[in-house]
Amino acid sequence: MVPLLYLGGLVVLFVLWIKVKGLDYVIVHQRWIFVCLFLLPLSVIFDVYYYARAWLIFKMCSAPKLHDQRVRDIQRQVRDWRKEGAKTYMCTGRPGWLTVSLRVGKYKKTHKNIMINMMDILEVDTKRQVVRVEPLANMGQVTALLNSIGWTLPVLPELDDLTVGGLVMGTGIESSSHIYGLFQHICVAYELVLADGSLVRCTEEENSDLFHAVPWSCGTLGFLVAAEIKIVPAKPWVKLHYEPVRGLENICKRFTEASANKQNTFVEGLQYSLDSAVIMTGTMTDHAEPDKINRIGLHFKPWFFKHVEGYLKKDCAGVEYIPLRHYYHRHTRSIFWELQDIIPFGNNPVFRWLFGWMVPPKISLLKLTQGETIRRLYEQHHVVQDMLVPMKHLQDAITRFHKDIEVYPLWLCPFLLPPGRGMVHPKGQEEELYVDIGAYGEPKVKHFEAKASTRQLEKFVRDVHGFQMLYADIYMEREEFWEMFDGQLYHKLRDELGCKEAFPEVYDKICKSARH
């Protein structure tokens, strides 16, 4: 009885404190209180529900039949839109706060919302080595199923909540991309409902132009309703080598060598300052040395980027064996390193042991509850960018990042970019090694100004024939955007498929200069 009275007294005091300070003050200045008390428990409930639902539907084999019904319903909605006069553009009816992107899409309020409730894994075909999935199936869901039956995606982007639709219509990358390319390069077929309500399947051989134009189009050519993705046999462990490197020239040289070595299944770099980094290389294996096993995904384990930093501080290399699924989602618990700004004590051992099992809060819930004040603060004093540049320009790129924003750690992830006809391909006709430089955090330079600083980075990336991931804040003008991306095939298909009256151009949908 006494503990209950004590707890009740604390709750009353907390409510009074919020009343005195105001809810906005608490959410902005003491956000961790709101996140820990409300968003973490809600996130657990969300995860339990969606994983249980996905498992039941797959086991009952009801997904394919339900899928066909859902496709017909989407076709009906599109045809109804046409009958009503096609007065506005169309977009998916999924609320903007549910996306992983930090950008808030205001177009949802003015466009015709087409409801697409498709979040299931439809089929795993081990003979053809493909998995067929709906667009809202996410990476956590896919790895949970595939790894349990001995398979995996060749490129499995990091965060649990990333959806297949977002990775197809935008892009996705992982530390195996130096072998397999971007997420789009492991896809073998897309199924879309077009602006006239028809259902189309496209592959390298069938409707080839559309197949190449869909990636990076952000839903402006049609509604994705299914994708077929390559799968490869999985092994239970990743043997991971940690190598601290000092000196920018040495870092770039060693990272380039590791990325070019196809014997490495996984390659990743975490750069902690201009002249210090840890380069990680890994291979899948069936067996692990018992004294070197590290189950990094357990809730009480240190956040991965902090664990890696330990090798830099000790200035010694190391080898560990990590369970495959733990490796795939190694940055999930700390949302790379973004969670340290939301829960400053989140990596404290006591917090990890008591509450780490609830981490991370859903990014969608963070967006839903951030409010206009926090959104503006993040926009002006926070960077979340992924810039894709040719590996040969890595040293210049890191120097430019340091000069313009000085955000650390930087995430370095290599990928192979083959020639193609879509929006993103190398300048020449041969495949080229690129690197994704991910900057997530608060800039340390005194002269940082969100628009001006980002535009400087964008110009550098354009000049070296690089690309900017489209989930982030983009400040380019229309001409600059189409200088960065190849729009020839994209615009041709928008004309042929009647997309100009049905969907906004990708620039108008995602760039800050075009959004109001």
Side-chain angles (χ1 to χ4, degrees):
M1 188 66 181
V2 174
L4 286 176
L5 289 172
Y6 179 69
L7 183 61
L10 287 176
V11 171
V12 170
L13 287 173
F14 177 65
V15 171
L16 287 173
W17 179 66
I18 290 178
K19 191 171 181 180
V20 171
K21 290 288 189 180
L23 185 59
D24 282 347
Y25 175 89
V26 174
I27 290 177
V28 172
H29 297 283
Q30 306 292 338
R31 199 178 184 200
W32 64 267
I33 297 175
F34 185 74
V35 170
C36 292
L37 289 180
F38 300 103
L39 297 193
L40 288 181
L42 273 176
S43 298
V44 171
I45 293 169
F46 265 57
D47 282 338
V48 169
Y49 168 75
Y50 281 112
Y51 279 112
R53 177 193 175 283
W55 184 85
L56 281 172
I57 285 177
F58 189 79
K59 290 297 181 183
M60 293 168 64
C61 298
S62 61
K65 184 168 70 175
L66 293 171
H67 173 76
D68 292 339
Q69 294 174 5
R70 291 170 186 152
V71 171
R72 286 193 294 271
D73 182 60
I74 292 166
Q75 291 178 287
R76 177 192 57 77
Q77 292 180 68
V78 173
R79 286 167 183 153
D80 287 349
W81 166 81
R82 295 186 71 85
K83 288 176 186 176
E84 292 164 5
K87 297 172 184 175
T88 62
Y89 290 137
M90 291 184 289
C91 67
T92 65
R94 190 183 188 212
W97 59 269
L98 274 174
T99 64
V100 171
S101 168
L102 294 179
R103 185 175 57 244
V104 179
K106 296 180 180 179
Y107 61 87
K108 297 279 186 181
K109 296 177 182 178
T110 57
H111 294 183
K112 170 68 175 176
N113 282 212
I114 304 297
M115 301 311 297
I116 299 179
N117 182 28
M118 311 181 85
M119 57 185 72
D120 294 322
I121 299 171
L122 301 172
E123 179 188 9
V124 179
D125 187 336
T126 54
K127 289 184 179 178
R128 290 177 55 222
Q129 295 197 4
V130 296
V131 58
R132 183 168 174 252
V133 296
E134 292 182 326
L136 295 183
N138 66 39
M139 290 301 99
Q141 185 181 338
V142 170
T143 50
L145 175 68
L146 289 181
N147 291 176
S148 70
I149 57 176
W151 293 85
T152 188
L153 299 182
V155 176
L156 206 149
E158 169 65 36
L159 299 177
D160 280 14
D161 289 342
L162 291 170
T163 64
V164 169
L167 295 167
V168 167
M169 292 295 184
T171 194
I173 192 171
E174 187 38 83
S175 54
S176 55
S177 288
H178 66 294
I179 298 174
Y180 298 103
L182 298 171
F183 190 83
Q184 69 202 61
H185 300 125
I186 64 166
C187 295
V188 296
Y190 307 124
E191 296 169 39
L192 298 102
V193 172
L194 302 180
D196 61 357
S198 61
L199 177 65
V200 171
R201 185 174 188 270
C202 54
T203 67
E204 188 69 65
E205 295 78 29
E206 178 185 8
N207 297 309
S208 178
D209 280 355
L210 183 58
F211 179 73
H212 282 274
V214 163
W216 296 77
S217 66
C218 296
T220 59
L221 293 173
F223 295 109
L224 184 72
V225 294
E228 289 182 18
I229 309 166
K230 294 176 188 175
I231 58 175
V232 293
K235 294 181 180 179
W237 301 96
V238 172
K239 182 180 181 182
L240 194 64
H241 295 257
Y242 302 87
E243 180 187 352
V245 186
R246 307 242 177 216
L248 181 57
E249 189 174 339
N250 287 335
I251 291 168
C252 296
K253 180 175 180 292
R254 183 68 192 94
F255 186 75
T256 302
E257 291 171 350
S259 303
N261 183 357
K262 299 297 175 65
Q263 298 301 309
N264 295 323
T265 311
F266 306 105
V267 178
E268 175 185 29
L270 293 187
Q271 184 141 357
Y272 291 90
S273 70
L274 182 62
D275 58 0
S276 64
V278 177
I279 295 171
M280 289 158 279
T281 56
T283 53
M284 277 196 270
T285 178
D286 287 312
H287 306 288
E289 298 176 44
D291 60 332
K292 294 181 179 177
I293 289 175
N294 186 2
R295 302 179 188 275
I296 59 174
L298 297 177
H299 72 274
F300 53 83
K301 289 285 188 173
W303 289 346
F304 184 68
F305 79 97
K306 288 293 188 183
H307 171 64
V308 174
E309 191 177 18
Y311 288 95
L312 190 64
K313 289 179 176 177
K314 291 183 289 186
D315 201 24
C316 67
V319 176
E320 290 182 329
Y321 291 84
I322 300 171
L324 179 62
R325 190 154 187 262
H326 289 212
Y327 175 80
Y328 278 142
H329 301 289
R330 62 200 176 280
H331 294 298
T332 294
R333 285 192 301 131
S334 56
I335 318 179
F336 281 85
W337 29 93
E338 291 278 61
L339 197 58
Q340 65 183 347
D341 293 332
I342 299 169
I343 307 176
F345 47 83
N347 196 45
N348 181 280
V350 175
F351 181 87
R352 294 199 312 262
W353 272 98
L354 294 178
F355 304 108
W357 57 277
M358 290 193 287
V359 166
K362 305 290 276 187
I363 294 175
S364 54
L365 294 179
L366 289 170
K367 280 177 65 178
L368 180 64
T369 59
Q370 70 179 356
E372 188 62 24
T373 304
I374 291 181
R375 190 192 66 76
R376 284 199 304 269
L377 284 172
Y378 260 74
E379 188 173 295
Q380 292 302 321
H381 305 289
H382 201 86
V383 168
V384 179
Q385 292 284 349
D386 281 88
M387 298 293 190
L388 316 180
V389 299
M391 185 69 78
K392 61 191 176 188
H393 296 294
L394 176 59
Q395 186 167 338
D396 290 339
I398 291 173
T399 303
R400 186 82 226 188
F401 269 71
H402 181 81
K403 180 181 177 182
D404 289 342
I405 57 175
E406 196 179 342
V407 170
Y408 293 102
L410 289 175
W411 189 54
L412 305 179
C413 185
F415 69 96
L416 194 65
L417 188 60
R421 310 196 306 273
M423 287 176 60
V424 171
H425 55 75
K427 196 169 186 179
Q429 292 303 310
E430 294 185 1
E431 64 183 23
E432 186 173 352
L433 198 58
Y434 272 63
V435 57
D436 174 8
I437 304 177
Y440 326 117
E442 186 177 342
K444 297 298 188 293
V445 293
K446 293 180 180 179
H447 60 268
F448 178 79
E449 197 279 316
K451 182 176 180 178
S453 300
T454 305
R455 280 186 57 78
Q456 285 179 321
L457 279 179
E458 290 170 344
K459 183 181 186 309
F460 170 83
V461 172
R462 286 197 308 277
D463 289 344
V464 299
H465 196 71
F467 309 94
Q468 183 176 13
M469 282 201 186
L470 302 184
Y471 76 87
D473 283 336
I474 296 171
Y475 293 90
M476 287 183 284
E477 298 297 330
R478 191 180 304 272
E479 295 75 18
E480 294 169 333
F481 181 85
W482 290 118
E483 180 188 335
M484 178 179 285
F485 296 97
D486 183 351
Q488 187 174 352
L489 181 63
Y490 171 78
H491 290 302
K492 171 177 172 281
L493 283 171
R494 276 178 62 81
D495 284 331
E496 291 178 0
L497 299 176
C499 297
K500 287 189 172 181
E501 296 75 34
F503 307 104
E505 185 184 300
V506 62
Y507 175 83
D508 295 314
K509 189 172 183 180
I510 57 96
C511 288
K512 292 187 77 68
S513 297
R515 288 181 284 129
H516 303 288

